[in-house]
Amino acid sequence: MSKYKGSDSQPTPFDPAYTQLFSYPKMVRDLLVNFVKQPWVNDIDWDSLHTLSPKFVTKKLRKRESDIIWKAKWHDRDLYIILFLEFQSSVDRFMPVRILAYVNLLFLQLVKEGKITDKLPPVLPLVLYNGEKEWKAGVSMADLLHPDCPDALKPYQPEIQFFLLDEKRVPVSDDDISSDNLVAPIFALEQADQKNLYTTFLLLKRVLESSAEFADIAQAFIAYVTAVTRAEERDPSIKVKSLDEVEIMLSKKIDNWIAEGEARGEARGEARGEARGETRAQRAIALALLQKGLDKMLIAEATKLSVEEIEALAKDV
């Protein structure tokens, strides 16, 4: 899925939507605080966090569309955070070489523009990888250097390493998703299977609806989830604008999984599992949609409850 030509992956429709999510300062803060979890993170001046201008990044660093450079103040000094978003099915064992080249380009540009007059600023190269295969390759140049390198030459070899987050294997609990940490739901959605995709989204939806400050980020999540679903279903006609519509779309998707499972002779409800929670969960979903003012016929179609059951629930709204 990566645009990087060195991998065997191809771009997908959700790449831009995914990148958009990490264009928000809160997403970067949640990422560092909750998943990098190193003491120095606590000393970042979050109010100073901002991305470098597209002109600086694109023309001077030959940036891929999926890479984002953030800048912040740390102990009154500049700190650069480079997010490498890896949308690819295979592990790139030469990632340290790419990281080294990218960081060097950044430093060269800063020197050229006169923004460094003394020491180089600290940099965090952070790789977010969402491939199906576990990342087992090294994360430093030292992992790539030939073991037969003479000891006398080792001091002259390039050194750099990056911080890796293998999204499909990062531990995430329901409590993480239910908090205001908005990065945890991304990892949870990446890890979700047919049994918990729907409930994972419901937890995320509840958080996004809890505060008006999440309105813009909610739109980015809508674009992300919709793009992923559209890519899988190959249906460009899908037009989703609200979290409620995403919920209905995922509900229908789960019903499709159920139908596919039945066609293969699997027991009814296997695909739904925890995601639908059977009738009780369906009624809870229908009640929530009624409270949002959605049409009863549409709710009945989404939940597979009868119109009579929907009307009975409506009396409690």
Side-chain angles (χ1 to χ4, degrees), residues 17-18 20-22 24 214-225:
Y18 192 93
Q20 181 186 1
L21 282 169
F22 286 98
Y24 291 94
F214 297 154
D216 289 342
I217 300 180
Q219 290 302 311
F221 269 103
I222 290 170
Y224 167 63
V225 177

Side-chain angles (χ1 to χ4, degrees), residues 142-157:
D143 296 317
L144 293 176
L145 295 177
H146 199 285
D148 291 340
C149 177
D151 290 341
L153 290 181
K154 288 181 179 178
Y156 305 106
Q157 307 311 303

Side-chain angles (χ1 to χ4, degrees), residues 59-219:
K59 291 186 177 181
K60 303 300 183 181
L61 294 182
R62 302 195 296 276
K63 168 184 167 293
R64 297 183 309 154
E65 292 181 11
S66 59
D67 297 332
I68 309 171
I69 298 183
W70 287 87
K71 180 181 178 181
K73 287 295 183 182
W74 180 78
H75 289 296
D76 296 324
R77 285 174 281 170
D78 289 338
L79 164 71
Y80 291 88
I81 302 157
I82 310 176
L83 295 183
F84 294 83
L85 308 180
E86 288 302 298
F87 311 113
Q88 57 187 42
S89 58
S90 61
V91 175
D92 183 0
R93 62 185 298 264
F94 291 106
M95 177 62 76
V97 178
R98 293 170 52 196
I99 298 290
L100 178 65
Y102 203 106
V103 172
N104 280 339
L105 284 172
L106 172 63
F107 285 156
L108 286 170
Q109 185 59 33
L110 293 174
V111 170
K112 181 178 179 180
E113 297 196 355
K115 295 181 178 179
I116 296 179
T117 58
D118 185 13
K119 300 292 186 179
L120 294 174
V123 173
L124 171 67
L126 198 160
V127 173
L128 284 173
Y129 167 70
N130 68 346
E132 293 297 330
K133 298 179 180 178
E134 181 180 357
W135 187 290
K136 294 184 178 180
V139 297
S140 71
M141 286 294 297
D143 296 317
L144 293 176
L145 295 177
H146 199 285
D148 291 340
C149 177
D151 290 341
L153 290 181
K154 288 181 179 178
Y156 305 106
Q157 307 311 303
E159 296 181 12
I160 198 167
Q161 70 180 52
F162 59 89
F163 191 100
L164 173 72
L165 282 173
D166 190 341
E167 298 182 18
K168 293 186 184 298
R169 280 152 282 273
V170 174
V172 180
S173 68
D174 285 350
D175 289 340
D176 293 328
I177 306 171
S178 300
S179 68
D180 67 352
N181 168 15
L182 292 182
V183 174
I186 295 180
F187 295 166
L189 287 170
E190 290 284 353
Q191 298 170 16
D193 56 17
Q194 295 178 357
K195 293 183 178 181
N196 58 26
L197 174 64
Y198 189 74
T199 49
T200 298
F201 175 76
L202 288 183
L203 289 171
L204 167 63
K205 180 172 178 280
R206 185 185 309 161
V207 175
L208 292 174
E209 292 178 336
S210 68
S211 174
E213 69 174 300
F214 297 154
D216 289 342
I217 300 180
Q219 290 302 311

